[in-house]
Amino acid sequence: MVEVLVTYGPWLIAAAALFGFLMAFGVGANDVANAMGTSVGSGALSIKQAILIAMVFEFAGAYLAGGEVTNTIRKGIIDGAYFVDTPELLVYGFISALLAAGIWLVAASFLGWPVSTTHSIIGAIIGFAAVGVGMEAVMWGKVAGIVGSWVVTPAISGIIAFLIFQSAQKLIFDTDKPLLNAKRYVPFYMALAAFVMSLVTIKKGLKHVGLHFDTVEAYGLAILLAAIVGLLGKVAIGRVKFDTNADRHSQFANVEKVFALLMVVTACCMAFAHGSNDVANAIGPLAAVVTIVSHGGEIPDQAPLAWWILPLGAFGIVLGLAILGKRVIATIGTKITHLTPSRGFAAELAAASTVVIASGTGLPISTTQTLVGAVLGVGMARGIAALNISVVRNIVISWVVTLPAGAALSIVFFMIIRTMMQ
Amino acid sequence: MPVNFLGVFAKSPIKPLEQHIDKVADAAERMVPFFQAVMDNRWEEAETIQRQISALEQEADTLKREIRMSLPSGIFMPVQRTDLLEIVTQQDKIANKAKDIAGRVIGRQSQVPELLQETFIAYVQRCVDAVKQAQKAINEMDDLLESGFRGREVTFVNELIQQLDAIEDDTDSMQVKLRRQLFSIENDLNPIDVMVFYKILEWIGDLADLAERVGARLELMLARS
């Protein structure tokens, strides 16, 4: 049976690469507003700047830190042992999963549902595994963990956002001289953001580019980078022009200018975290297909990522962002009211931090979820003027629907591909 | 068009609320030039101002409706929905009152008795001051939100509201004085004119009363949060 893989190997890889690219394109087009939306909405960044930052940092995140996460996607959800005798089924499955998730993303976007790219690919993988081999091929414990993350992830990021916002209140807004305190403390927030971001990079990736760090070195390097960013931030804040004749007692407008600078840092952070986390959705299954086909049907435990896979995913994200992301960001940039840099910052930094924390537990988490949780957290701290709870409900429903929908689609494609190849 | 998580941000009621009080205060402020024109018998100018007040009242009405429509039950806010709606209602009454006063004065070509004119215009000015003070307090909503409706910003707004109360007290005593003056000369005047003027005094006082009520509502909102 494995001859199929030998005969049609190049074709299978080409199909997987095409659908993987489609998926990455969808991730870039659809999800990137999550990463950049709050920055544009709060007026901290113009749309052009946001796109530019997103391109650079999404690519960097996907390329530098995205390699490690792929393992969870291709190995964490299903038990490879069940496919040892029929590796071609695994190949068909991953291809149909990519196609199913890509199509589901497009369809949901059309319906206006903010679905999670992570969950659509996971649902798709579960789908073909349960049908192609049997229910026992799915690691249901892991799936339960994913369902649990629907509650845990937003909760964690919500709590972090709440705490960050409260700390900003205590240190800056509820003081005699908010502007002075903003100038004093914002560099520390910048350093914190940089620390989080460098920790993601170092802990999640950098291995496949040939760099290895132990824990002490990782933390040391992260602290060093944080210090550098903090100092740069201090210099940047010193150069901001403030409205000196503002007779308003509170100077909050000027304080927000300081936070706008911080927002640039957190926007980079978020784009980076998003790229590193979500590129895996597209390239994980693709990497699996390439590995199995190039090993002639053998399913190895450890296999190096083919060199062209990560750039393909990263390029797909950037292309999707460049072609469609602009429109998404443009609409949200004008729609959001009363989102100031200080509030956006609390939400974004919390979301990015949650990605780091959750990556330690190996759960494939959704950036949408972390941001929704973070925004709710800032809302609970009474920092956001108005939140539409009915939209939150819709988002939660779409999380639940996405798994079975991705599964159903991938089952259909799986059946079609299997029939075609026989 | 893909919709993303940013849909959770609902339309903020705070900016429209500030715009509303700005319109209302704008309408109230025109009471001073209006009565100035009336007292100088420049009726054409008075009518122009009356039309302006009427137009401002309509704009305020539109804003009021917008605020009410944008707060369905699915909206989560840092303040109570009922408090917010109540504040809009009170604010709107100020504009209505200003429109009513100007309309009646124009309609009857009412005149301010010579002897009272100086005290009267000061009284109108003081009542308008109350409205402007309420506007100042409402315009702090931005900063209140910034500070999470806590801490020293709340103290600051409470001080503004106390000042508003003091202004309203002033207008009360001015009204008493004007009534006494009017009483002393009422025998020399047309009885109907006197009755109407008593009413006008009362209505102008209502401007300050309503402004105070806006402040009281704001105070309640802050006390509850």
Side-chain angles (χ1 to χ4, degrees):
Chain A
M1 284 304 270
V2 185
E3 292 98 71
V4 174
L5 293 183
V6 180
T7 324
Y8 296 104
W11 289 104
L12 292 169
I13 290 179
L18 184 69
F19 298 149
F21 191 77
L22 175 86
M23 176 84 192
F25 185 88
V27 170
N30 198 24
D31 248 17
V32 82
N34 296 352
M36 304 309 292
T38 38
S39 316
V40 178
S42 64
L45 288 175
S46 74
I47 291 168
K48 262 189 196 161
Q49 289 168 327
I51 301 255
L52 211 68
I53 286 181
M55 278 183 166
V56 172
F57 283 86
E58 290 271 346
F59 189 88
Y63 190 69
L64 295 178
E68 195 69 1
V69 203
T70 57
N71 279 330
T72 329
I73 300 284
R74 59 182 159 151
K75 287 201 304 233
I77 321 287
I78 51 174
D79 192 342
Y82 287 92
F83 289 93
V84 170
D85 297 330
T86 53
E88 74 278 8
L89 287 188
L90 198 56
V91 171
Y92 304 161
F94 278 130
I95 292 174
S96 35
L98 279 175
L99 185 57
I103 286 180
W104 171 247
L105 264 186
V106 174
S109 302
F110 252 62
L111 292 168
W113 288 0
V115 298
S116 153
T117 48
T118 311
H119 289 154
S120 44
I121 193 71
I122 288 171
I125 290 176
I126 294 171
F128 85 77
V131 168
V133 179
M135 301 297 273
E136 68 277 5
V138 181
M139 295 182 178
W140 291 105
K142 283 270 167 66
V143 178
I146 290 161
V147 173
S149 79
W150 293 343
V151 181
V152 176
T153 319
I156 293 175
S157 71
I159 291 166
I160 296 177
F162 186 92
L163 292 177
I164 291 174
F165 188 78
Q166 290 288 7
S167 76
Q169 290 295 331
K170 281 269 175 313
L171 293 174
I172 295 166
F173 287 96
D174 191 17
T175 57
D176 280 332
K177 295 194 173 68
L179 183 59
L180 196 77
N181 283 322
K183 285 181 185 167
R184 185 181 301 157
Y185 291 117
V186 164
F188 286 101
Y189 283 119
M190 285 178 170
L192 181 67
F195 178 72
V196 168
M197 176 158 74
S198 12
L199 217 54
V200 186
T201 323
I202 296 161
K203 287 193 84 160
K204 272 193 163 185
L206 286 189
K207 280 189 190 155
H208 68 276
V209 275
L211 292 168
H212 292 271
F213 297 99
D214 61 32
T215 313
V216 180
E217 280 172 345
Y219 276 87
L221 194 66
I223 289 169
L224 182 73
L225 282 170
I228 292 169
V229 170
L231 284 173
L232 286 177
K234 203 164 171 59
V235 172
I237 289 168
R239 293 176 146 207
V240 175
K241 292 243 184 313
F242 293 108
D243 189 6
T244 41
N245 55 7
D247 57 347
R248 310 264 298 159
H249 64 101
S250 53
Q251 295 260 315
F252 285 163
N254 280 336
V255 175
E256 287 297 351
K257 277 190 192 166
V258 181
F259 271 97
L261 265 182
L262 175 55
M263 201 60 190
V264 177
V265 178
T266 49
C268 299
C269 208
M270 197 59 215
F272 191 89
H274 176 257
S276 67
N277 194 62
D278 284 18
V279 73
N281 298 337
I283 67 166
L286 170 58
V289 170
V290 173
T291 311
I292 297 166
V293 170
S294 60
H295 283 73
E298 192 191 331
I299 303 171
D301 274 347
Q302 284 291 327
L305 216 52
W307 64 269
W308 53 271
I309 293 178
L310 261 178
L312 180 89
F315 186 63
I317 287 186
V318 169
L319 201 69
L321 158 70
I323 292 176
L324 290 173
K326 199 174 184 172
R327 286 166 50 193
V328 183
I329 295 181
T331 36
I332 55 114
T334 50
K335 262 198 212 153
I336 305 174
T337 51
H338 246 81
L339 186 63
T340 60
S342 66
R343 299 165 212 164
F345 139 75
E348 275 198 6
L349 183 55
S353 313
T354 310
V355 174
V356 189
I357 293 170
S359 77
T361 66
L363 271 185
I365 57 157
S366 148
T367 32
T368 318
Q369 281 183 355
T370 52
L371 260 166
V372 167
V375 167
L376 288 179
V378 182
M380 296 293 172
R382 292 191 298 192
I384 286 173
L387 292 175
N388 200 340
I389 298 297
S390 54
V391 171
V392 176
R393 196 172 46 230
N394 282 343
I395 291 175
V396 172
I397 291 171
S398 76
W399 294 344
V400 180
V401 172
T402 296
L403 275 188
L409 276 173
S410 93
I411 288 170
V412 172
F413 292 131
F414 182 69
M415 296 294 193
I416 294 171
I417 294 176
R418 193 168 57 178
T419 321
M420 270 168 48
M421 299 301 280
Q422 263 163 7
Chain B
M1 179 57 63
V3 175
N4 46 67
F5 92 99
L6 289 152
V8 302
F9 295 104
K11 210 164 173 235
S12 161
I14 282 172
K15 258 270 123 54
L17 189 73
E18 291 185 358
Q19 284 167 350
H20 184 260
I21 191 89
D22 289 347
K23 286 261 180 269
V24 168
D26 204 359
E29 265 177 87
R30 277 163 212 250
M31 295 309 311
V32 179
F34 173 77
F35 276 108
Q36 209 86 57
V38 167
M39 291 188 302
D40 298 349
N41 273 316
R42 286 178 277 127
W43 287 100
E44 247 174 61
E45 195 189 329
E47 268 176 56
T48 316
I49 299 175
Q50 185 252 331
R51 273 196 298 274
Q52 287 169 349
I53 293 174
S54 187
L56 283 166
E57 191 269 342
Q58 265 173 16
E59 285 167 35
D61 253 4
T62 317
L63 275 169
K64 174 187 74 178
R65 222 161 294 132
E66 212 183 284
I67 295 169
R68 287 182 179 166
M69 298 294 277
S70 66
L71 296 180
S73 57
I75 303 288
F76 173 86
M77 286 181 301
V79 292
Q80 295 275 336
R81 178 192 332 276
T82 45
D83 288 338
L84 209 81
L85 292 174
E86 191 62 39
I87 286 181
V88 184
T89 307
Q90 296 301 337
Q91 285 182 178
D92 206 57
K93 281 184 188 164
I94 297 175
N96 286 340
K97 199 52 118 192
K99 185 184 127 188
D100 282 354
I101 296 169
R104 291 298 166 88
V105 171
I106 291 289
R108 274 201 92 253
Q109 303 262 306
S110 303
Q111 211 19 292
V112 181
E114 202 85 25
L115 193 72
L116 303 186
Q117 284 190 350
E118 206 176 312
T119 344
F120 176 76
I121 207 75
Y123 171 60
V124 175
Q125 182 63 60
R126 200 62 184 150
C127 289
V128 169
D129 282 350
V131 177
K132 272 161 67 184
Q133 182 73 15
Q135 177 191 21
K136 210 168 150 193
I138 292 291
N139 276 327
E140 286 298 315
M141 286 287 273
D142 252 339
D143 286 358
L144 278 171
L145 178 68
E146 202 74 70
S147 58
F149 291 85
R150 271 191 203 90
R152 66 199 67 204
E153 183 62 28
V154 172
T155 323
F156 177 75
V157 174
N158 278 326
E159 269 164 33
L160 290 182
I161 295 170
Q162 270 164 25
Q163 285 163 21
L164 171 57
D165 289 349
I167 296 173
E168 202 273 340
D169 276 351
D170 271 3
T171 65
D172 276 349
S173 49
M174 286 168 103
Q175 193 184 357
V176 170
K177 200 169 142 201
L178 273 164
R179 276 167 183 284
R180 220 174 277 146
Q181 277 181 324
L182 182 59
F183 178 69
S184 68
I185 55 166
E186 67 180 17
N187 287 336
D188 311 330
L189 298 167
N190 176 334
I192 298 179
D193 282 351
V194 172
M195 282 169 68
V196 170
F197 197 64
Y198 272 123
K199 263 275 175 266
I200 287 172
L201 284 182
E202 221 171 87
W203 284 347
I204 290 168
D206 283 350
L207 289 179
D209 280 348
L210 288 167
E212 192 189 22
R213 231 174 282 169
V214 169
R217 278 287 152 188
L218 186 58
E219 207 172 15
L220 261 182
M221 177 192 270
L222 295 178
R224 239 189 271 192
S225 61

